[in-house]
Amino acid sequence: MMREICTKAIQGNEHFAKNDVLFRVGKEANHMFFLSTGSLAYCFWPTGSRRPRAVKVDMGTWCVEITLWIQWQHVGKMKALSVADIISVSSARFRDICENHAQVYPVVQGYALNFLAHENWEGYLTDLGFAHLISVCNDEGPSANAGMTNLEELMHSEDVQAQLVQWDD
């Protein structure tokens, strides 16, 4: 089964330039994404909020897992903050492979049902997961940079950059 997932469901690397849009609100989601290099910015409107929330997505993170379990339309917008490489998994192919393996299908089906039950009592679901679990980027002022290494400073500047992305295109 793993061989099938690796050869049929995983679709390899997609390359994105800085400011490329990966997806927009309302579009059908057909793939789960794994960020292998670079960084992304995700913007969504939390329930009851008067303004959108922007979040930086770091290398090693995955998103849009929900499309493996249910049909999904994106509820946010995602842009590349830098050159980024994404490995994508076709949700339709993933589900087809799981359905064809009698030993695995009940386990995957149970996971999907638990995922949906969690969504029903935990609250607003985004393309990154549940809104209450998302860590929001914060600019803590000039004193926040004191004692930072160059790498930490770069990562902090990307957090700030995620807040400044222009989303109106």
Side-chain angles (χ1 to χ4, degrees), residues 1-2 6 17 22 24 29 31-32 39 52 67 70 73 76 81 111 114 120 130 135 137 149 157 163:
M1 180 181 151
M2 287 306 293
C6 292
L22 280 72
R24 290 183 164 79
H31 296 87
M32 179 179 179
S39 57
T67 193
I70 64 172
Q73 289 187 340
L81 279 178
Y111 182 85
N114 284 336
N120 286 332
F130 296 100
S135 166
C137 309
T149 66
S157 70
Q163 295 299 310

Side-chain angles (χ1 to χ4, degrees), residues 56-132:
K56 185 178 127 204
V57 179
D58 291 312
M59 183 174 64
T61 304
W62 67 85
C63 60
V64 203
E65 176 189 2
I66 192 165
T67 193
L68 297 179
W69 317 119
I70 64 172
Q71 290 186 333
W72 179 255
Q73 289 187 340
H74 293 291
V75 296
K77 182 177 179 179
M78 186 169 279
K79 272 186 171 183
L81 279 178
S82 65
V83 173
D85 291 326
I86 308 263
I87 298 170
S88 62
V89 177
S90 166
S91 53
R93 290 181 188 162
F94 177 84
R95 286 191 298 268
D96 288 344
I97 292 166
C98 291
E99 286 176 12
N100 291 326
H101 288 83
Q103 302 91 346
V104 173
Y105 186 67
V107 175
V108 172
Q109 186 179 35
Y111 182 85
L113 292 171
N114 284 336
F115 191 90
L116 292 174
H118 186 71
E119 185 268 334
N120 286 332
W121 63 269
E122 284 294 337
Y124 185 72
L125 194 56
T126 73
D127 297 291
L128 299 181
F130 296 100
H132 72 281

Side-chain angles (χ1 to χ4, degrees), residues 19-72:
N19 293 321
D20 280 355
V21 175
L22 280 72
F23 56 79
R24 290 183 164 79
V25 176
K27 299 292 181 186
E28 184 178 357
N30 298 310
H31 296 87
M32 179 179 179
F33 298 121
F34 293 88
L35 179 58
S36 56
T37 62
S39 57
L40 308 170
Y42 177 70
C43 182
F44 69 104
W45 286 82
T47 304
S49 178
R50 293 187 305 231
R51 61 185 198 126
R53 179 177 289 176
V55 180
K56 185 178 127 204
V57 179
D58 291 312
M59 183 174 64
T61 304
W62 67 85
C63 60
V64 203
E65 176 189 2
I66 192 165
T67 193
L68 297 179
W69 317 119
I70 64 172
Q71 290 186 333
W72 179 255

